[in-house]
């Protein structure tokens, strides 16, 4: 078993019309044993940028703390919030810095940029970015997430339809992966509001 699969995870971000959704499962396990069923994988950097970290849970928490620290320094120096593209570059640089002993994480970054244009991207553990215009996935359930998102995604979805789509994709995918699941956590972000919802899924 790869160290990336040790705790299990499922992450997906999807774009809509001037909005985006980012969703994750809630299981924290040690291989096949479930430890917690309310684990938080998605974090708010500021109102328009969210970060999801799949992979080894301890590294995810360490990396998150370092990124929050860097973002606060940026806010103090620049007196503004980071754009999602800038934040993605920061995450990439931080990971590449540690490339000889990497954080075992696969981040998913989602945000609203200039003119409320949604931005999503993912990267590997050493910071090689993968940009997408529709959706990105990460974690142990990524293969089944690709299939579900590919078949369900439509362009220019409104926030409510986007929520339904990303939720159905997540729930149907984690049922096909025994290392992730136990409900879901979904954020739908528009220029004016952030909606957070908890999904109930199969409890096995």
């Amino acid at each position: 078993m790869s160290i990336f699969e040790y705790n299990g995870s499922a992450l997906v971000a999807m774009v809509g019309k001037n909005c985006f959704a980012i969703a994750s499962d809630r299981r924290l396990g040690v291989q096949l044993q479930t430890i917690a069923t309310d684990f938080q994988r998605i974090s708010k950097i500021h109102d328009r940028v969210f970060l999801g970290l799949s992979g080894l849970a301890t590294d995810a928490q360490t990396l998150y703390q370092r990124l929050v620290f860097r973002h606060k320094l940026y806010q103090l120096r620049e007196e503004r919030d980071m754009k999602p593209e800038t934040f993605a570059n920061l995450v990439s640089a931080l990971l590449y810095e540690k490339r000889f002993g990497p954080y075992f994480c696969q981040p998913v970054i989602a945000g609203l940029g200039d003119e409320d244009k949604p931005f999503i991207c993912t990267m590997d553990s050493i910071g090689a970015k993968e940009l997408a215009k529709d959706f990105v996935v990460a974690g142990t359930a990524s293969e089944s997430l690709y299939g579900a998102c590919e078949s369900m995604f439509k362009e220019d979805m409104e926030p409510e339809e986007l929520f339904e789509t990303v939720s159905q994709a997540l729930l149907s995918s984690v049922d096909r992966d025994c290392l992730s699941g136990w409900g879901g956590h979904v954020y739908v972000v528009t220029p004016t509001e952030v909606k957070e919802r908890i999904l109930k899924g199969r409890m096995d």
Side-chain angles (χ1 to χ4, degrees):
M1 179 182 266
S2 154
I3 190 69
F4 290 94
E5 296 171 4
Y6 187 72
N7 297 122
S9 52
L11 265 175
V12 55
M14 198 178 274
V15 304
K17 188 177 182 181
N18 292 345
C19 61
F20 70 86
I22 182 167
S24 77
D25 70 324
R26 306 186 76 205
R27 179 183 180 271
L28 172 69
V30 170
Q31 294 179 6
L32 298 178
Q33 182 184 7
T34 301
I35 303 296
T37 58
D38 59 353
F39 190 65
Q40 184 94 10
R41 285 187 213 290
I42 300 170
S43 314
K44 178 170 134 179
I45 302 301
H46 60 80
D47 283 340
R48 292 164 73 91
V49 173
F50 283 74
L51 168 74
L53 291 167
S54 70
L56 193 65
T58 49
D59 278 8
Q61 288 175 332
T62 306
L63 185 57
Y64 168 66
Q65 286 168 355
R66 291 198 64 187
L67 289 167
V68 166
F69 167 67
R70 292 282 189 97
H71 184 256
K72 282 181 176 168
L73 281 181
Y74 181 92
Q75 280 175 319
L76 282 170
R77 195 182 303 120
E78 301 280 334
E79 295 184 355
R80 63 194 168 110
D81 289 330
M82 254 188 208
K83 290 178 184 172
E85 295 86 351
T86 316
F87 185 71
N89 289 334
L90 167 67
V91 178
S92 181
L94 197 70
L95 289 170
Y96 192 68
E97 207 176 275
K98 289 269 188 290
R99 63 191 176 280
F100 298 118
Y103 292 112
F104 297 116
C105 289
Q106 193 183 349
V108 168
I109 294 143
L112 290 175
D114 295 334
E115 296 167 15
D116 302 329
K117 190 171 183 286
F119 168 90
I120 53 170
C121 106
T122 183
M123 54 191 80
D124 65 5
S125 60
I126 57 166
K129 281 196 304 230
E130 183 188 333
L131 304 167
K133 290 191 166 56
D134 44 11
F135 58 83
V136 290
V137 302
T140 53
S142 60
E143 286 181 13
S144 46
L145 273 165
Y146 267 122
C149 293
E150 201 73 65
S151 60
M152 292 179 183
F153 178 79
K154 290 194 312 216
E155 286 187 6
D156 291 336
M157 286 186 282
E158 294 296 331
E160 278 308 306
E161 190 185 359
L162 181 63
F163 165 71
E164 282 297 329
T165 306
V166 84
S167 302
Q168 292 295 341
L170 181 76
L171 289 176
S172 64
S173 301
V174 296
D175 285 351
R176 290 166 174 78
D177 174 43
C178 62
L179 296 176
S180 60
W182 225 283
H185 202 158
V186 186
Y187 290 88
V188 178
V189 181
T190 65
T192 53
E193 62 178 349
V194 176
K195 279 187 180 166
E196 178 185 2
R197 293 184 177 104
I198 301 292
L199 306 176
K200 282 190 173 177
R202 281 180 56 153
M203 300 297 184
D204 58 358

